[in-house]
Amino acid sequence: MNKTVVSPLFAGAALLAVLALGGCEDVSTELKAPTYKTGIAQTETRISAFKAAFPQQHASYMKNDEDKVMTEYKGSVPYHKNDDVNPLPKGFKHAQPYLKNLWLGYPFMYEYNETRGHTHAVEDFVNIDRLNRFGADGKGKMPATCWNCKTPKMMTWVAQYGDAFWSKDVNEFRGKESIDARDETIGCANCHDPATMELRLYSEPLKDWLKRSGQDWNKLSRNEKRTLVCAQCHVEYYFTHQDNGPKLRPVFPWDNGKNPEDIYQYYKGHGAKGPDGKPGPFVDWVHAASKVGMIKMQHPDYETFQDGPHGAAGVSCADCHMQYVREDGKKISSHWMTSPMKDPEMRACRQCHADKTAEYLRSRVLYTQEKAYKQLIKAEELSVKAHEAVRLANAYDGPRPENYEALMTEAREMVRKGQLFWDYVSAENSMGFHNPVKTMNTLAVSLECSNRAVALATEATQFTIAPVMAKDIKEVVPPILEMSRKLQQDADFLQKNPWTKILPVLPKADQVWDGQNRLKSDAARP
Amino acid sequence: MGIPRHGPWLKWLAGGVVAGMALLGVLAYAMTTTDSRPFCSTCHIMEEAAVTQKMGTHARLACNECHAPHNLLVKLPFKAQEGLRDFWGNITGKDVPHPVSLHTRDVVNANCKACHAQTNVNVASMDAKPYCVDCHRNVAHMRMRPISTRTVAYE
């Protein structure tokens, strides 16, 4: 018999066998995710150690290397997020031109880029100008806490050093002898128990939060875990002030709630303790132009999302960012965590929105993002104006009104609050989509606060700065396009912008670190 | 000359009737079994559909109460055709089509009306939306629920 006869016969026989053997067993509605006995050591941190047992997930994860595709507002090209002048890969049409001004005096003014896949996390970390690479002592001038969301080696280091780890210098762990940039970047062990591959937390600050809020990881649903593994890192955080606990240990500021107003209220405390023994307001840095004690927001993706239309309905991060894909007939979770907008078919969305076309879904995402981006730019412009108003009012030496100090205290508070609010939106990575109404509301409050700051500072100067405040802010304070640790060593360069003039000139120094390589010999170490 | 009472033709007739009834019984049983959730979900690819159906209000109905025409003359060729297509899709590693074909949607919608005609007799409920599930969305396998409540890996 030839093949054309055998195949249908075989198929028929198989069908009958299936009918006879399996055809009477009903499904169970208790869904059980597969678990394994891998034999991989509990302390394993290398991605390559998981490749043999999980080739499909590994291959899917390696797709995170892609860093060429942009969407309308996001994507994977690490362009400078303030640069709307240069073409890709340096700048992008939907950049935020005032970021360097707004972060004046803080490391974010040196470099802040669009994100790329997890596979690049350590690589991008050791190349960012925010960490000092010019110190003759080789120090980064930032705490080792900065490693917290970059590598599963955190488990090794925390076990080794305990709470002493956080306040060590970040560059102590930078060299190739400390970490393999490719193999020990964010990987399997950050979300999986290597022995069983069950979802697990590696994150100290998230475990702290679960403890503080009376939750037990082992009692949480699989659905909640599919969000919380991301919430280990895609959250706003701060470093503990030494007056209040282990120095520079990371904390998620969620005790009042996860909305911008809750977080703003939280940061009225948790700073350095005053003479009365009570913690004062927390301050990330003092803005170099306005001298206001500022709060920096960092990627509050989880906080934004959890009470949005999807989050409140119980949809998890993984539902959209790790959709099930069928490869070689096997259904696995995609481990390519990237913009769902890259897929022309929008398949992740259509697991639920099966009745919608990809074009329609895309247009609904853009409907939100376009509005959020436009208002975000306006909120940032007004925030710059608020800093400038306070800066001018600080320097005002004319006849002051009686309530000058009260007006200025309130104006500074409004600058701080206005910026916290727009930064909550700006630092979040969905350009509004994760929570459209909260995004627009947050920007509205930001505009209100910055506007109030301008009005108060204007009043404090007997309205003498009103003519300046009436001008287009881009004429008064032009956006700072270029700024780096190297450029700050150049006194002439700093003269080119009214706000960079304010910055101190850094001492001339050569670069000491290039990625993981120390350029100067060890002999140069003090 | 009368008809012989014990002629061989009678044995053949009686045997044929019994055999025919037995065959019909087997076929009827096979048709019913292959309409049902336990049969449909023997292919892992159908587990999400089976699980969400079992959790829903239509749990006690067979899959083909919705997914095949009720008219037997139409149903027989329909099942044969769909069965072969699914069989082929399964052995070549294809995923469940998303969204389902227009043909299947029409069949399912006709079956909504077949059971729920009385509820809708005084309203023009088929005028505004082409399908009943355009409003009764979660009847379509609870697709607005979080993924983890519907499915797991390796199905």
Side-chain angles (χ1 to χ4, degrees):
Chain A
M1 283 189 287
N2 62 29
K3 249 186 162 179
T4 48
V5 182
V6 173
S7 298
L9 275 178
F10 177 76
L15 196 65
L16 284 173
V18 161
L19 221 185
L21 294 172
C24 30
E25 184 107 18
D26 199 1
V27 288
S28 165
T29 50
E30 269 180 54
L31 295 167
K32 287 220 167 69
T35 56
Y36 307 86
K37 278 186 181 162
T38 61
I40 301 171
Q42 204 82 38
T43 52
E44 184 57 74
T45 52
R46 291 166 303 147
I47 292 164
S48 59
F50 294 82
K51 185 179 178 182
F54 303 97
Q56 287 168 312
Q57 286 84 351
H58 183 269
S60 173
Y61 180 78
M62 293 319 286
K63 287 184 185 169
N64 290 298
D65 269 348
E66 182 276 305
D67 64 351
K68 297 284 179 283
V69 180
M70 288 303 289
T71 63
E72 189 62 18
Y73 288 93
K74 301 296 294 181
S76 302
V77 181
Y79 74 94
H80 297 162
K81 284 187 75 155
N82 70 305
D83 187 341
D84 64 345
V85 175
N86 293 298
L88 283 167
K90 206 176 167 208
F92 187 52
K93 58 182 175 176
H94 288 141
Q96 301 163 48
Y98 267 130
L99 293 180
K100 287 187 189 289
N101 299 64
L102 289 160
W103 295 327
L104 203 72
Y106 200 51
F108 275 85
M109 76 173 168
Y110 296 126
E111 192 175 6
Y112 172 58
N113 305 328
E114 179 62 293
T115 54
R116 2 179 226 177
H118 287 155
T119 50
H120 297 290
V122 171
E123 191 186 334
D124 288 346
F125 183 70
V126 296
N127 286 308
I128 198 84
D129 198 32
R130 289 208 292 278
L131 308 182
N132 190 10
R133 294 166 298 168
F134 295 86
D137 56 1
K139 288 194 172 172
K141 306 265 173 63
M142 301 281 260
T145 320
C146 296
W147 285 104
N148 186 54
C149 273
K150 303 285 177 247
T151 170
K153 282 216 83 165
M154 281 304 300
M155 291 177 282
T156 319
W157 293 334
V158 169
Q160 191 175 346
Y161 300 104
D163 272 336
F165 170 78
W166 314 106
S167 50
K168 288 177 175 290
D169 188 83
V170 64
N171 282 357
E172 280 188 43
F173 304 90
R174 183 183 195 119
K176 289 190 170 121
E177 70 287 351
S178 295
I179 186 163
D180 183 325
R182 288 291 295 170
D183 213 11
E184 289 177 318
T185 180
I186 300 164
C188 315
N190 287 95
C191 302
H192 292 284
D193 181 329
T196 61
M197 297 312 277
E198 283 183 64
L199 293 179
R200 71 115 178 245
L201 299 182
Y202 86 97
S203 161
E204 294 297 319
L206 188 59
K207 286 190 273 189
D208 288 347
W209 163 249
L210 290 182
K211 202 185 260 177
R212 281 208 309 286
S213 57
Q215 299 180 75
D216 178 358
W217 176 256
N218 296 318
K219 287 182 187 150
L220 294 178
S221 68
R222 181 171 148 246
N223 200 48
E224 288 166 296
K225 291 176 181 176
R226 279 163 60 90
T227 289
L228 287 177
V229 286
C230 310
Q232 298 185 101
C233 293
H234 290 256
V235 293
E236 152 64 10
Y237 63 90
Y238 72 101
F239 299 158
T240 305
H241 191 279
Q242 59 195 9
D243 291 355
N244 305 317
K247 189 180 177 185
L248 301 171
R249 186 180 172 93
V251 183
F252 301 164
W254 297 344
D255 297 33
N256 293 343
K258 301 188 185 76
N259 284 314
E261 180 68 32
D262 305 323
I263 292 174
Y264 167 70
Q265 293 296 340
Y266 180 95
Y267 283 130
K268 286 190 169 173
H270 303 275
K273 281 183 178 162
D276 58 353
K278 281 185 188 163
F282 189 82
V283 173
D284 273 311
W285 90 105
V286 174
H287 193 276
S290 64
K291 310 300 179 197
V292 175
M294 304 299 296
I295 296 294
K296 179 77 190 76
M297 286 288 114
Q298 283 100 183
H299 39 70
D301 299 338
Y302 172 66
E303 295 93 324
T304 298
F305 159 83
Q306 46 84 34
D307 61 348
H310 286 95
V315 176
S316 73
C317 304
D319 287 8
C320 309
H321 291 282
M322 300 184 72
Q323 79 266 31
Y324 282 119
V325 289
R326 195 166 291 279
E327 275 167 13
D328 304 328
K330 264 196 178 175
K331 193 174 91 178
I332 63 156
S333 288
S334 166
H335 280 62
W336 184 16
M337 301 87 165
T338 186
S339 167
M341 296 277 275
K342 281 183 190 169
D343 178 7
E345 296 298 320
M346 302 281 277
R347 272 166 289 209
C349 313
R350 290 164 74 209
Q351 297 174 107
C352 298
H353 302 287
D355 55 334
K356 303 294 192 296
T357 63
E359 294 70 34
Y360 175 81
L361 292 163
R362 189 177 306 279
S363 76
R364 293 307 301 172
V365 175
L366 293 172
Y367 177 87
T368 295
Q369 290 185 326
E370 192 186 321
K371 291 166 182 61
Y373 175 74
K374 280 185 182 163
Q375 289 305 315
L376 173 62
I377 296 302
K378 284 185 188 169
E380 288 173 358
E381 287 174 4
L382 195 53
S383 189
V384 171
K385 192 179 258 191
H387 279 289
E388 180 67 357
V390 169
R391 185 182 78 89
L392 294 172
N394 285 340
Y396 172 67
D397 54 5
R400 290 179 173 185
E402 264 179 37
N403 58 347
Y404 174 88
E405 285 306 329
L407 288 167
M408 288 304 289
T409 302
E410 180 66 3
R412 290 184 186 109
E413 196 57 38
M414 287 296 105
V415 169
R416 171 176 153 110
K417 185 173 181 181
Q419 176 142 345
L420 184 153
F421 272 61
W422 68 251
D423 206 0
Y424 186 99
V425 171
S426 167
E428 205 270 338
N429 285 299
S430 71
M431 195 56 83
F433 177 73
H434 285 157
N435 195 335
V437 171
K438 179 151 83 181
T439 296
M440 298 311 287
N441 177 251
T442 301
L443 291 175
V445 174
S446 172
L447 285 156
E448 187 189 332
C449 293
S450 299
N451 220 4
R452 183 92 187 110
V454 173
L456 289 160
T458 307
E459 195 185 336
T461 62
Q462 306 279 29
F463 299 94
T464 52
I465 64 167
V468 181
M469 286 296 110
K471 286 187 187 170
D472 180 357
I473 189 64
K474 292 210 166 175
E475 285 172 26
V476 183
V477 183
I480 302 166
L481 180 63
E482 303 279 355
M483 172 52 70
S484 67
R485 286 184 191 267
K486 188 76 203 167
L487 286 169
Q488 204 183 336
Q489 298 173 14
D490 180 349
D492 295 337
F493 173 81
L494 294 183
Q495 290 302 312
K496 288 181 186 169
N497 181 292
W499 274 21
T500 55
K501 259 187 219 174
I502 299 163
L503 295 169
V505 183
L506 294 177
K508 289 271 178 212
D510 290 328
Q511 196 168 334
V512 171
W513 284 100
D514 177 26
Q516 292 188 278
N517 299 316
R518 184 139 180 166
L519 299 175
K520 284 194 171 172
S521 72
D522 281 9
R525 282 189 195 182
Chain B
M1 198 170 134
I3 298 162
R5 291 186 66 184
H6 298 287
W9 67 272
L10 196 61
K11 283 182 186 161
W12 282 108
L13 181 66
V17 167
V18 169
M21 283 171 71
L23 182 64
L24 201 64
V26 168
L27 287 176
Y29 177 75
M31 275 300 282
T32 312
T33 306
T34 55
D35 280 345
S36 69
R37 182 173 63 226
F39 173 76
C40 295
S41 62
T42 44
C43 292
H44 289 291
I45 196 171
M46 281 296 163
E47 271 183 45
E48 180 181 349
V51 166
T52 50
Q53 194 252 354
K54 195 175 179 179
M55 290 190 296
T57 47
H58 291 89
R60 294 172 74 178
L61 299 179
C63 300
N64 276 347
E65 292 289 344
C66 299
H67 281 277
H70 289 178
N71 180 333
L72 197 61
L73 287 177
V74 192
K75 181 176 184 170
L76 289 173
F78 179 89
K79 275 185 76 171
Q81 189 194 337
E82 292 291 295
L84 279 173
R85 194 176 54 90
D86 286 353
F87 181 75
W88 186 249
N90 215 331
I91 59 172
T92 51
K94 285 205 181 78
D95 210 340
V96 181
H98 258 294
V100 294
S101 72
L102 287 173
H103 186 40
T104 291
R105 277 194 249 183
D106 287 339
V107 168
V108 170
N109 205 58
N111 289 334
C112 298
K113 292 191 271 185
C115 295
H116 298 286
Q118 281 306 311
T119 310
N120 292 284
V121 76
N122 288 323
V123 284
S125 39
M126 284 329 296
D127 287 9
K129 304 272 188 183
Y131 301 104
C132 299
V133 294
D134 290 341
C135 293
H136 300 274
R137 292 192 293 180
N138 272 333
V139 174
H141 294 283
M142 303 187 165
R143 65 160 191 263
M144 306 313 262
R145 291 182 47 160
I147 300 290
S148 73
T149 63
R150 290 149 43 184
T151 186
V152 290
Y154 295 122
E155 280 183 351

